[in-house]
mmCIF file of all heavy atoms in Angstrom:
data_model
loop_
_atom_site.group_PDB
_atom_site.id
_atom_site.type_symbol
_atom_site.label_atom_id
_atom_site.label_comp_id
_atom_site.label_asym_id
_atom_site.label_seq_id
_atom_site.Cartn_x
_atom_site.Cartn_y
_atom_site.Cartn_z
ATOM 1 N N SER A 142 319.484 135.091 60.491
ATOM 2 C CA SER A 142 319.500 136.522 60.291
ATOM 3 C C SER A 142 320.025 137.263 61.496
ATOM 4 O O SER A 142 320.827 138.208 61.382
ATOM 5 C CB SER A 142 318.094 137.042 59.944
ATOM 6 O OG SER A 142 318.082 138.431 59.737
ATOM 7 N N GLY A 143 319.619 136.835 62.695
ATOM 8 C CA GLY A 143 320.107 137.448 63.914
ATOM 9 C C GLY A 143 321.602 137.286 64.100
ATOM 10 O O GLY A 143 322.295 138.227 64.549
ATOM 11 N N ILE A 144 322.107 136.114 63.788
ATOM 12 C CA ILE A 144 323.554 135.862 63.900
ATOM 13 C C ILE A 144 324.321 136.757 62.938
ATOM 14 O O ILE A 144 325.368 137.335 63.299
ATOM 15 C CB ILE A 144 323.862 134.378 63.628
ATOM 16 C CG1 ILE A 144 323.295 133.515 64.762
ATOM 17 C CG2 ILE A 144 325.361 134.141 63.471
ATOM 18 C CD1 ILE A 144 323.343 132.030 64.521
ATOM 19 N N LEU A 145 323.818 136.871 61.718
ATOM 20 C CA LEU A 145 324.471 137.755 60.723
ATOM 21 C C LEU A 145 324.497 139.204 61.210
ATOM 22 O O LEU A 145 325.524 139.882 61.182
ATOM 23 C CB LEU A 145 323.732 137.690 59.394
ATOM 24 C CG LEU A 145 323.928 136.427 58.537
ATOM 25 C CD1 LEU A 145 323.005 136.453 57.335
ATOM 26 C CD2 LEU A 145 325.377 136.322 58.079
ATOM 27 N N ALA A 146 323.356 139.679 61.686
ATOM 28 C CA ALA A 146 323.241 141.063 62.161
ATOM 29 C C ALA A 146 324.141 141.316 63.368
ATOM 30 O O ALA A 146 324.830 142.356 63.459
ATOM 31 C CB ALA A 146 321.798 141.401 62.495
ATOM 32 N N ALA A 147 324.136 140.369 64.328
ATOM 33 C CA ALA A 147 324.962 140.532 65.521
ATOM 34 C C ALA A 147 326.462 140.555 65.173
ATOM 35 O O ALA A 147 327.232 141.295 65.779
ATOM 36 C CB ALA A 147 324.666 139.414 66.518
ATOM 37 N N SER A 148 326.844 139.754 64.177
ATOM 38 C CA SER A 148 328.241 139.738 63.748
ATOM 39 C C SER A 148 328.629 141.055 63.088
ATOM 40 O O SER A 148 329.738 141.569 63.301
ATOM 41 C CB SER A 148 328.446 138.569 62.784
ATOM 42 O OG SER A 148 328.128 137.336 63.376
ATOM 43 N N LEU A 149 327.726 141.590 62.267
ATOM 44 C CA LEU A 149 328.013 142.861 61.583
ATOM 45 C C LEU A 149 328.110 144.021 62.578
ATOM 46 O O LEU A 149 328.812 145.012 62.327
ATOM 47 C CB LEU A 149 326.933 143.149 60.548
ATOM 48 C CG LEU A 149 326.909 142.181 59.351
ATOM 49 C CD1 LEU A 149 325.611 142.385 58.530
ATOM 50 C CD2 LEU A 149 328.115 142.404 58.466
ATOM 51 N N LEU A 150 327.424 143.916 63.693
ATOM 52 C CA LEU A 150 327.452 144.972 64.699
ATOM 53 C C LEU A 150 328.685 144.879 65.614
ATOM 54 O O LEU A 150 329.009 145.842 66.320
ATOM 55 C CB LEU A 150 326.181 144.931 65.562
ATOM 56 C CG LEU A 150 324.900 145.415 64.884
ATOM 57 C CD1 LEU A 150 323.678 145.027 65.718
ATOM 58 C CD2 LEU A 150 324.933 146.927 64.689
ATOM 59 N N TYR A 151 329.345 143.741 65.634
ATOM 60 C CA TYR A 151 330.438 143.501 66.597
ATOM 61 C C TYR A 151 331.541 144.555 66.527
ATOM 62 O O TYR A 151 332.030 144.979 67.606
ATOM 63 C CB TYR A 151 331.029 142.108 66.388
ATOM 64 C CG TYR A 151 332.078 141.791 67.412
ATOM 65 C CD1 TYR A 151 331.766 141.429 68.704
ATOM 66 C CD2 TYR A 151 333.449 141.885 67.045
ATOM 67 C CE1 TYR A 151 332.740 141.150 69.646
ATOM 68 C CE2 TYR A 151 334.432 141.614 67.975
ATOM 69 C CZ TYR A 151 334.070 141.251 69.284
ATOM 70 O OH TYR A 151 335.059 140.976 70.196
ATOM 71 N N PRO A 152 331.981 145.007 65.349
ATOM 72 C CA PRO A 152 333.057 146.010 65.314
ATOM 73 C C PRO A 152 332.719 147.299 66.050
ATOM 74 O O PRO A 152 333.632 148.051 66.424
ATOM 75 C CB PRO A 152 333.257 146.264 63.800
ATOM 76 C CG PRO A 152 332.751 145.030 63.150
ATOM 77 C CD PRO A 152 331.615 144.539 63.970
ATOM 78 N N PHE A 153 331.445 147.562 66.246
ATOM 79 C CA PHE A 153 331.044 148.789 66.932
ATOM 80 C C PHE A 153 331.052 148.660 68.471
ATOM 81 O O PHE A 153 330.965 149.666 69.172
ATOM 82 C CB PHE A 153 329.642 149.236 66.497
ATOM 83 C CG PHE A 153 329.540 149.528 65.035
ATOM 84 C CD1 PHE A 153 329.141 148.562 64.126
ATOM 85 C CD2 PHE A 153 329.887 150.779 64.534
ATOM 86 C CE1 PHE A 153 329.037 148.846 62.783
ATOM 87 C CE2 PHE A 153 329.809 151.066 63.194
ATOM 88 C CZ PHE A 153 329.394 150.086 62.293
#
Side-chain angles (χ1 to χ4, degrees):
S142 180
I144 292 171
L145 285 174
S148 301
L149 292 169
L150 287 167
Y151 183 77
F153 298 94

